[in-house]
Amino acid sequence: MGFSQDNLKGFVLALLSSAFIGASFIIKKKGLRRAAAAAGVRAGVGGYSYLLEPLWWLGMITMIIGEVANFVAYAFAPAVLVTPLGALSIIVSAILAQFILKEKLHKLGILGCVMCIAGSIIIVIHAPQERPISSVQEIWSMATQPAFLLYVGSVIALVFILIFYFAPQCGHTNVLVFTGICSLMGSLSVMSVKALGTSLKLTFEGKNQLIYPETWSFMFVVATCVITQMNYLNKALDTFNTAIVSPIYYVMFTTLTIFASVIMFKDWDNQDAGSIISGMCGFVVVLSGTILLHVTKDLERSSSFRENYMPLSPSLSTRLCGGNGDFLKHDEEDEPYSEEACSRQQELYS
């Protein structure tokens, strides 16, 4: 099956998005370091001096450009193609960190980069053609078909169960609760973003879609889903190790998004079984490479921790996790350990 012009545009925009977003993390981190060196207070312990650092703002602008490119990519190419390519931003970030931040990239991490690139190539080669859409009302009919309404209802029900039942009980001990909420909402946000992006593309082509209430309905859904998604992603990142949250979130979010897109936009209807299986294999390779990148990043961090620092005292070492250097919650009967002291230790060992 040939690679259509719309798929090519979406592919290029997805690549640009990954490049800008990956670079933005490095630029912002460089800005945070410069601001901390100037003010003496890191952002991780409550400092806000980075708001006066031009380099940090350059990183923010770079990220915004990347997100806009990603938004537009969904208007041209199917989510089955665009979403998995988001993993390439991790490669850009890892490579730039090696040269700019002098953060060593583990040999297995290099293998993870190669796997992400190889898997992305497979996905691109076997990506389905974007279905031509003539109006936002046509998208609305797709969003209100029984199969997708069943998916939406299931997602909303699961989100409510996770928020009101599981989150209070085990949200801070089980990483799947918060990441599950933002992954489920993320799949709906991508479908709404694609619908809104397509509406805006048609509007710019001269077919005004802003006069239809469906366009504004999709905009409302985008805002609601993104706010909820970001809220619980921040909770997950604040509670658990990033090296654990990131790959789990990527796997769940990407899988659910592809599943939702297949139901709503019928991405696989015109593909043969071989192309579908090949695309899924490419997706699995990308997932494996992403997980490998994050795991080796954590191993490198813990290895550096063990080589450069000795335990200060038996009581302190019991509060440190030997595997990843994270602080463990201590029991109430343990001797008091202030938040300020914990922050100082985190700054020392990070």
Side-chain angles (χ1 to χ4, degrees), residues 146-162 184-185 187-188 256 259 263:
F148 190 70
L149 287 178
L150 178 61
Y151 175 78
V152 173
S154 301
V155 166
I156 294 174
L158 283 172
V159 166
F160 271 95
I161 292 171
L162 288 171
L184 288 163
M185 295 301 290
S187 68
L188 296 183
L256 288 169
F259 183 62
I263 295 174

Side-chain angles (χ1 to χ4, degrees), residues 58-319:
L58 177 61
M60 281 298 296
I61 293 171
T62 305
M63 175 170 281
I64 291 170
I65 293 172
E67 293 295 349
V68 170
N70 191 55
F71 175 84
V72 179
Y74 280 112
F76 289 98
V80 174
L81 170 62
V82 176
T83 304
L85 293 179
L88 298 180
S89 65
I90 302 172
I91 297 177
V92 174
S93 181
I95 293 174
L96 290 179
Q98 169 96 0
F99 295 103
I100 297 177
L101 301 178
K102 308 303 179 185
E103 295 180 357
K104 185 179 178 182
L105 183 61
H106 196 279
K107 290 181 179 179
L108 289 177
I110 296 175
L111 176 60
C113 291
V114 173
M115 291 173 66
C116 286
I117 294 172
S120 298
I121 292 173
I122 296 172
I123 290 171
V124 169
I125 291 174
H126 297 281
Q129 301 294 339
E130 177 72 339
R131 179 177 175 179
I133 297 173
S134 58
S135 71
V136 69
Q137 292 167 320
E138 185 178 346
I139 306 176
W140 185 261
S141 66
M142 297 178 189
T144 54
Q145 60 184 303
F148 190 70
L149 287 178
L150 178 61
Y151 175 78
V152 173
S154 301
V155 166
I156 294 174
L158 283 172
V159 166
F160 271 95
I161 292 171
L162 288 171
I163 291 176
F164 295 107
Y165 182 76
F166 287 102
Q169 294 189 13
C170 55
H172 292 277
T173 57
N174 191 329
V175 68
L176 295 178
V177 177
F178 291 149
T179 53
I181 294 170
C182 48
S183 297
L184 288 163
M185 295 301 290
S187 68
L188 296 183
S189 70
V190 169
M191 295 303 99
S192 303
V193 162
K194 182 168 178 59
L196 183 60
T198 304
S199 300
L200 293 177
K201 184 183 78 168
L202 292 170
T203 299
F204 290 133
E205 290 175 351
K207 304 173 184 177
N208 188 9
Q209 304 297 306
L210 299 179
I211 59 175
Y212 299 113
E214 290 86 353
T215 300
W216 299 100
S217 297
F218 283 125
M219 192 176 296
F220 173 76
V221 174
V222 168
T224 303
C225 291
V226 168
I227 290 172
T228 305
Q229 183 182 355
M230 289 299 101
N231 178 45
Y232 283 95
L233 182 58
N234 287 333
K235 286 179 182 289
L237 291 172
D238 186 56
T239 306
F240 303 98
N241 191 335
T242 305
I244 297 174
V245 173
S246 296
I248 291 177
Y249 172 63
Y250 179 79
V251 170
M252 294 177 66
F253 166 71
T254 308
T255 303
L256 288 169
T257 297
I258 290 175
F259 183 62
S261 182
V262 168
I263 295 174
M264 180 173 171
F265 292 99
K266 309 250 188 296
D267 292 328
W268 287 344
D269 276 10
N270 297 322
Q271 282 197 298
D272 55 66
S275 295
I276 294 173
I277 294 171
S278 297
M280 292 306 297
C281 289
F283 175 52
V284 171
V285 172
V286 171
L287 292 183
S288 303
T290 303
I291 294 171
L292 190 59
L293 261 173
H294 281 285
V295 169
T296 53
K297 188 188 302 180
D298 195 40
L299 286 174
E300 194 67 39
R301 200 161 43 233
S302 62
S303 173
S304 175
F305 175 86
R306 288 192 297 270
E307 289 173 2
N308 294 309
Y309 298 98
M310 294 294 291
L312 299 182
S313 67
S315 61
L316 174 59
S317 63
T318 59
R319 295 188 177 98

Side-chain angles (χ1 to χ4, degrees), residues 19-84:
F20 277 105
I21 292 174
S24 72
F25 289 120
I26 305 304
I27 297 171
K28 286 199 295 182
K29 188 166 184 177
K30 194 78 173 175
L32 288 170
R33 287 183 176 181
R34 184 179 293 181
V41 182
R42 293 175 55 184
V45 291
Y48 292 98
S49 58
Y50 61 87
L51 294 175
L52 302 176
E53 174 55 52
L55 197 59
W56 184 85
W57 283 106
L58 177 61
M60 281 298 296
I61 293 171
T62 305
M63 175 170 281
I64 291 170
I65 293 172
E67 293 295 349
V68 170
N70 191 55
F71 175 84
V72 179
Y74 280 112
F76 289 98
V80 174
L81 170 62
V82 176
T83 304

